[in-house]
Amino acid sequence: MNPQLILIGAPGSGKGTQAKNLIDNMGYKHVSTGDLLRSEIAKESELGLKVKSILADGNLVDNDTVLELLNANCELDGFSYIFDGYPRNLEQAEALDSHVLKGANSIAVYFDIDLEILIERIVNRRTAPKSGEIYNLVTRPPKVEGKCDVSGEDLVHRKDDNEDTVRNRMNIFKDNVDPVLAYYESLGRLKRVDAKASAPEVYELIEKIIDIK
Ligand code: AP5
Ligand code: MG
């Protein structure tokens, strides 16, 4: 069984792109706290209404709420998961170990990249919520403008993908990431990948990390 995989990286560093590839090619299950929160917002559930403006501003949802959502949406029993966008701070990293992983074999992969180049990636991102495909108007444009190649659905420009919100998301990331990396490093569970490489190259790096384990 493949190790549980924890993807840590700045907004736009490629977590979702690699998660999609790993699901398609290696049978991983995916849990993205960002996707789960956006789906609650789309449903206009009580939780969705509570977090809508937090996501729109690029701030973090409180730890208890996100842990509850995560727990309700992953059942490790016999499956290998990708944790995409969780944890984002030390408390979440500790909670993931004690409440979800509970000693399961896991690796944290850090998407190492200079934050400045990410703004352009993010403002050019378009996503297909149903198929999960992630496009980029510059590096991975859809064949037909505004439509998903796989499902034909309309592509979405995320509300938090404007420059102001992205800068706030980046600052929050910078303020929180070091203790998370130090935590996994101290436990010997941290691997780093060069996330400025092309998406297929990053995929190969992750594949090697999984194979070694
Ligand atoms: P979330 O949805 O997780 O957003 P994020 O962490 O900001 O990350 P992104 O999804 O923006 O980037 P990504 O790394 O997935 O990049 P992608 O592969 O799409 O969270 C959103 C919000 O939810 C948060 O701000 C917060 O409010 C809340 N939230 C979520 N989790 C939470 C938690 N744990 N606690 C509290 N609050 C939480 O790629 C980006 C673009 O680059 C795409 O266009 C893609 O095509 C392109 N690209 C990807 N890889 C490459 C490459 N190698 N080369 C060139 N282009 C590439
Ligand atoms: Mg993502």
Side-chain angles (χ1 to χ4, degrees):
M1 185 167 144
N2 286 323
Q4 309 295 327
L5 215 54
I6 303 159
L7 305 187
I8 300 167
S13 57
K15 305 179 296 293
T17 299
Q18 296 305 329
K20 178 83 175 88
N21 292 337
L22 290 158
I23 298 158
D24 292 348
N25 300 326
M26 295 187 83
Y28 266 98
K29 282 179 175 266
H30 184 210
V31 60
S32 153
T33 42
D35 286 350
L36 291 173
L37 290 163
R38 280 186 290 278
S39 137
E40 293 297 321
I41 293 170
K43 282 190 282 188
E44 300 188 329
S45 68
E46 197 180 323
L47 171 60
L49 295 173
K50 180 178 133 188
V51 302
K52 189 174 180 180
S53 66
I54 300 177
L55 267 82
D57 293 341
N59 293 321
L60 291 186
V61 173
D62 69 275
N63 288 342
D64 289 346
T65 301
V66 183
L67 178 61
E68 202 179 310
L69 189 64
L70 180 75
N71 251 327
N73 285 280
C74 72
E75 186 54 69
L76 244 52
D77 208 13
F79 295 108
S80 296
Y81 269 88
I82 293 167
F83 295 89
D84 168 358
Y86 192 97
R88 296 199 185 225
N89 55 35
L90 182 57
E91 197 183 316
Q92 292 188 4
E94 290 169 346
L96 181 62
D97 272 345
S98 54
H99 295 286
V100 183
L101 294 175
K102 298 174 183 163
N105 180 24
S106 69
I107 322 172
V109 178
Y110 177 51
F111 285 57
D112 204 349
I113 190 163
D114 178 0
L115 300 193
E116 274 310 308
I117 72 166
L118 295 180
I119 307 275
E120 202 191 330
R121 272 197 195 177
I122 293 186
V123 295
N124 286 308
R125 168 171 52 195
R126 299 294 182 271
T127 55
K130 291 199 187 89
S131 68
E133 295 292 327
I134 301 172
Y135 297 90
N136 188 285
L137 299 183
V138 179
T139 55
R140 194 193 172 216
K143 293 194 182 89
V144 177
E145 195 183 327
K147 301 280 179 198
C148 176
D149 296 353
V150 177
S151 62
E153 71 192 285
D154 287 342
L155 297 181
V156 172
H157 188 193
R158 270 170 51 178
K159 286 210 168 47
D160 59 347
D161 278 355
N162 61 77
E163 199 166 331
D164 279 351
T165 307
V166 172
R167 292 214 180 264
N168 185 39
R169 286 160 58 199
M170 293 290 180
N171 286 334
I172 291 174
F173 171 78
K174 276 191 277 190
D175 288 346
N176 288 289
V177 71
D178 288 346
V180 176
L181 299 181
Y183 175 79
Y184 288 115
E185 189 114 67
S186 73
L187 296 169
R189 286 158 60 198
L190 183 69
K191 301 282 177 194
R192 293 168 192 266
V193 292
D194 174 8
K196 72 174 179 318
S198 70
E201 285 167 337
V202 176
Y203 182 78
E204 268 182 42
L205 294 171
I206 298 176
E207 224 178 15
K208 279 192 191 127
I209 289 170
I210 295 170
D211 282 350
I212 292 165
K213 271 286 175 176

